[in-house]
Amino acid sequence: KEDAFKTFTEERINPLKDSDVLIAVVGVQEWGDKLNEDLREKFNVKADDFPVYKLFKKGSSTPIDYKGDVTADGLSRFMKTELSMYIGLPGCLEEFDRLANGFLAVDDNEKKDRLSKAETGVSGLAEKDEITSGQAYVAIMKKIIERGTNYPQTEAVRLQKLVDSKISDEKKAQMRTKMNILPSFT
């Protein structure tokens, strides 16, 4: 877990230019001076729960608890979703993320326009992995148009169940890429 957190902060957050994100580690000591015991009590953290990850949004003293798998991708998806900030997760393409941003809120004509731009964008990609990702954005857009704005949430739950099941590592990697793309749709 500590390695995943370190990877998340070093590879995903530190490279962000002009970021308003502050990452802090608060150690709690259960013996001796019992450092930060007051914080542990204030936020109702039990020693058995360590490590605990909490997000404090600017202007709020109420944290949002992270309850997912402690992986660099999981933490990145959490931050991307909760803060609506751009974090390039594995498999995400910034140009396509811009098309996905706000997709759920726009009218049907704008959705179709963005879908058309995404389809055109895929034809301009050269790398196999980028083409696969671009096609995933297009497929998600089509599903949202067909099934409605709840699709990203229901699909994320479905994909997590698949990743947790007994499928090949290759299929798990494909599912994780799609899971990384889904939070781009807001």
Side-chain angles (χ1 to χ4, degrees), residues 115-181:
L115 171 60
S116 176
K117 288 177 182 174
E119 289 170 330
T120 300
V122 169
S123 66
L125 298 173
E127 301 291 323
K128 181 182 177 195
D129 289 345
E130 288 182 347
I131 293 168
T132 300
S133 291
Q135 290 169 336
Y137 282 92
V138 168
I140 292 167
M141 288 177 178
K142 287 179 178 178
K143 292 290 187 179
I144 291 170
I145 291 168
E146 177 185 315
R147 297 185 185 176
T149 58
N150 288 332
Y151 176 76
Q153 292 91 358
T154 57
E155 181 66 356
V157 170
R158 186 186 77 82
L159 291 173
Q160 186 62 55
K161 287 178 184 176
L162 286 172
V163 167
D164 293 341
S165 70
K166 294 180 181 180
I167 59 174
S168 71
D169 289 342
E170 182 180 336
K171 282 288 184 194
K172 283 184 183 187
Q174 290 173 355
M175 300 300 137
R176 285 190 182 107
T177 295
K178 196 170 179 187
M179 287 171 64
N180 287 344
I181 292 170

Side-chain angles (χ1 to χ4, degrees), residues 58-115:
K58 188 175 185 175
S60 175
S61 61
T62 304
I64 299 169
D65 292 330
Y66 176 69
K67 296 180 177 154
D69 291 333
V70 181
T71 63
D73 288 349
L75 290 164
S76 296
R77 279 192 295 273
F78 173 69
M79 293 285 285
K80 187 174 185 175
T81 301
E82 292 296 332
L83 297 177
S84 300
M85 65 186 294
Y86 185 76
I87 298 176
L89 299 170
C92 289
L93 305 171
E94 189 168 2
E95 175 187 345
F96 288 80
D97 275 353
R98 281 195 299 273
L99 294 172
N101 186 25
F103 191 84
L104 301 178
V106 299
D107 64 34
D108 289 345
N109 288 332
E110 177 66 16
K111 282 182 175 84
K112 290 174 185 173
D113 183 52
R114 290 185 187 196
L115 171 60

Side-chain angles (χ1 to χ4, degrees), residues 7-42:
T7 298
F8 165 70
T9 58
E10 290 177 356
E11 295 179 9
R12 307 283 168 77
I13 298 300
N14 286 350
L16 296 176
K17 306 283 189 268
D18 301 320
S19 175
D20 286 336
V21 175
L22 170 67
I23 302 289
V25 176
V26 179
V28 177
Q29 205 172 30
E30 292 186 88
W31 39 268
D33 292 337
K34 293 193 174 190
L35 295 175
N36 299 317
E37 181 70 15
D38 55 334
L39 288 174
R40 186 192 65 73
E41 288 178 6
K42 179 179 179 178

